[in-house]
Amino acid sequence: MRNTRISLVLGDITEEDADAIVNAANSTLLGGGGVDGAIHRAGGPSILRDCKQLRASTLKDGLPAGSAVATTAGNLAARWVIHTVGPVWSDTEDRSRLLSSCYTESLRVADALGAASVAFPAISTGVYRWPVEDGARLAIEAVRRCDSGPIDVRFVLFSQRAYDVFSNAVREI
Ligand code: AR6
């Protein structure tokens, strides 16, 4: 296993100066609320322009849950935004593999770009209602398991509660 350095940050991912930041997008790639809205607002219109280009070319049917794709990052400090689509939480179906795949696919894309550092939000734990304890465990396990991608992986948590839950998960795993 590689020596990935995992760190936790309490704050706003749009202010993170990692080479790549990950967006918890939806399949349309055309923007939304939560972290997606914040990234498009802070990064400016060129990110949406890139997303529209992807939709018109390689992603005509949208980006499926569990996949990831990169665009430029407009006015952000990061060089790239990696857009991924988390699964919506389900009480009846286990969609954990899709959530893990968001992390591993994003790391694969980051690796292909040559990014040395990548920052993740807690994918699916907002509008998509994934319980943050489970989301944190899956996130950290997926990053630990991954043998490609940046060595410097940051989780940028937007609330003290999410930060505490991720801290516990790092300690337990
Ligand atoms: N920096 C870091 N984390 C943030 C920020 C921020 N600026 N803003 C919110 N979060 P969500 P999802 C946290 O809802 O659950 C969008 O409309 C937030 O507190 O952004 O994957 C998309 O277009 C939560 O912990 O993403 C999709 O339709 C985490 O980011 C849908 O929401 C994820 O919350 C995706 O839902």
Side-chain angles (χ1 to χ4, degrees):
M1 198 173 68
R2 283 176 333 142
N3 233 348
T4 308
R5 194 174 69 231
I6 294 179
S7 47
L8 307 182
V9 178
L10 176 61
D12 180 346
I13 201 167
T14 65
E15 293 170 7
E16 199 60 30
D17 69 351
D19 288 342
I21 66 169
V22 175
N23 181 19
N26 60 62
S27 289
T28 71
L29 289 184
L30 300 180
V35 72
D36 193 7
I39 287 173
H40 281 281
R41 268 194 308 279
S46 64
I47 301 176
L48 185 58
R49 214 157 40 228
D50 282 6
C51 287
K52 284 181 173 164
Q53 249 164 35
L54 285 168
R55 287 300 313 276
S57 54
T58 51
L59 292 172
K60 286 206 169 64
D61 296 327
L63 184 67
S67 303
V69 70
T71 65
T72 56
N75 305 325
L76 298 173
R79 291 178 67 187
W80 299 284
V81 176
I82 298 173
H83 306 263
T84 189
V85 180
V88 178
W89 170 259
S90 165
D91 290 321
T92 54
E93 191 189 341
D94 182 5
R95 299 176 179 166
S96 308
R97 281 176 59 182
L98 287 174
L99 185 51
S100 298
S101 171
C102 289
Y103 290 98
T104 53
E105 283 299 297
S106 296
L107 289 173
R108 198 180 54 73
V109 170
D111 195 38
L113 291 167
S117 53
V118 64
F120 284 101
I123 300 164
S124 285
T125 65
V127 173
Y128 285 175
R129 294 181 287 105
W130 204 283
V132 67
E133 287 80 3
D134 196 59
R137 181 184 58 78
L138 287 170
I140 288 153
E141 281 175 354
V143 169
R144 284 259 173 89
R145 254 198 331 267
C146 212
D147 55 9
S148 67
I151 297 292
D152 174 2
V153 176
R154 306 171 200 166
F155 291 99
V156 182
L157 292 322
F158 205 47
S159 68
Q160 184 67 51
R161 180 172 131 65
Y163 182 90
D164 292 343
V165 169
F166 269 73
S167 302
N168 285 336
V170 167
R171 265 197 299 275
E172 279 166 18
I173 292 168

